[in-house]
Amino acid sequence: SDRRLQSTSSHSSVGNFTAKTTSPKRILEKHDSINARKCLVAQVGLENFIRSITAPLDLTLPNAVRFNMNGNGRMQTWEDVYMAERVYTQCLGISKRIYQMHAFTHEPDRKLAYFILEEHNERTLPFLPGFDFHVLVFTYYNDRNEVTAVDVQYDQLSFFLHCFGLAQLHAWFVEFVMTPLTMVWAKAYHNSGLVNPFTFMLQLILFPVLLMYYWGIL
């Protein structure tokens, strides 16, 4: 049921063990019950932003919440969420964050609203570059329109590369070194006719072993 699906999804990261059999026809039928609309919210600071985005859906914010930070942090109260955000922004040299949202998607049957959060980050040190970042946020609520769970998903590697000013160097390495090598491997693997999960896992095991043997570690 929708209630069971909402409860299951709110306990784990969105996308983990929630996939269901579906079809283009089922998606088209579902589309009629989904509300997607523009809604501009722009605030300095996470707490100001959170309180602003609940207004369009008339949601309230009890202090208790299941807040899943990309699967790497799970907090149970909004006080902890705001405190954690203040601490890690200072640790990463972020002086000011402007949070903004331009539209959201609402699925009333699942009591779920989700949107893309855009962050503008300014830095405390002159040699650390400012950067913009995008985050996917899923918000669940109950029959009393109280927010019960929030799942935040983002590319964590990309975020930290931006924080340390290494994003452009990483992008160059991926484009001109990693991708050409990966394409050579992919074409050879495809032409072998042995593409399946078992041979792929075997390569993941054998490749580092062969490298360690070549370097004399084994």
Side-chain angles (χ1 to χ4, degrees):
S1 66
D2 289 333
R3 184 182 297 276
R4 180 175 58 81
L5 180 60
Q6 183 262 332
S7 177
T8 301
S9 300
S10 62
H11 278 286
S12 62
S13 300
V14 173
N16 289 347
F17 313 112
T18 59
K20 305 294 181 183
T21 300
T22 188
S23 67
K25 180 181 178 182
R26 174 70 186 92
I27 293 172
L28 290 174
E29 293 171 351
K30 171 185 172 183
H31 177 75
D32 293 333
S33 64
I34 294 178
N35 174 27
R37 68 174 189 261
K38 290 185 176 181
C39 179
L40 174 62
V41 176
Q43 293 284 353
V44 176
L46 181 63
E47 184 170 359
N48 293 333
F49 176 78
I50 291 294
R51 296 190 182 283
S52 297
I53 63 174
T54 56
L57 293 175
D58 295 323
L59 299 178
T60 59
L61 291 170
N63 189 44
V65 65
R66 293 189 301 276
F67 195 96
N68 178 13
M69 178 60 76
N70 212 43
N72 295 310
R74 293 177 180 268
M75 289 157 277
Q76 306 301 320
T77 68
W78 283 111
E79 290 179 356
D80 288 344
V81 172
Y82 300 143
M83 185 274 295
E85 194 263 352
R86 287 193 294 269
V87 171
Y88 83 74
T89 52
Q90 291 176 9
C91 290
L92 296 174
I94 297 173
S95 60
K96 182 172 72 173
R97 306 182 98 177
I98 299 176
Y99 296 90
Q100 56 185 302
M101 174 188 74
H102 295 276
F104 68 87
T105 302
H106 181 211
E107 297 189 28
D109 292 343
R110 297 177 61 190
K111 294 182 172 58
L112 165 66
Y114 48 95
F115 58 90
I116 295 176
L117 164 65
E118 299 180 39
E119 296 179 2
H120 173 75
N121 297 278
E122 299 179 7
R123 314 307 297 277
T124 55
L125 300 173
F127 59 85
L128 292 175
F131 63 95
D132 294 335
F133 200 73
H134 294 81
V135 176
L136 189 56
V137 180
F138 296 82
T139 303
Y140 298 89
Y141 59 93
N142 59 22
D143 293 331
R144 298 186 298 275
N145 276 18
E146 297 173 333
V147 175
T148 58
V150 177
D151 282 306
V152 178
Q153 297 188 1
Y154 59 95
D155 181 350
Q156 194 157 8
L157 173 62
S158 177
F159 177 77
F160 284 111
L161 287 171
H162 276 90
C163 283
F164 295 108
L166 300 174
Q168 291 182 333
L169 178 61
H170 179 263
W172 178 91
F173 180 77
V174 168
E175 181 176 357
F176 295 104
V177 179
M178 288 299 298
T179 300
L181 291 175
T182 302
M183 291 308 300
V184 170
W185 165 82
K187 291 175 182 177
Y189 188 29
H190 179 266
N191 292 335
S192 72
L194 299 173
V195 180
N196 60 64
F198 301 104
T199 57
F200 179 66
M201 290 300 298
L202 184 62
Q203 290 179 81
L204 293 180
I205 296 171
L206 288 179
F207 184 69
V209 171
L210 292 174
L211 280 180
M212 288 188 290
Y213 179 78
Y214 177 77
W215 289 333
I217 298 176
L218 293 179

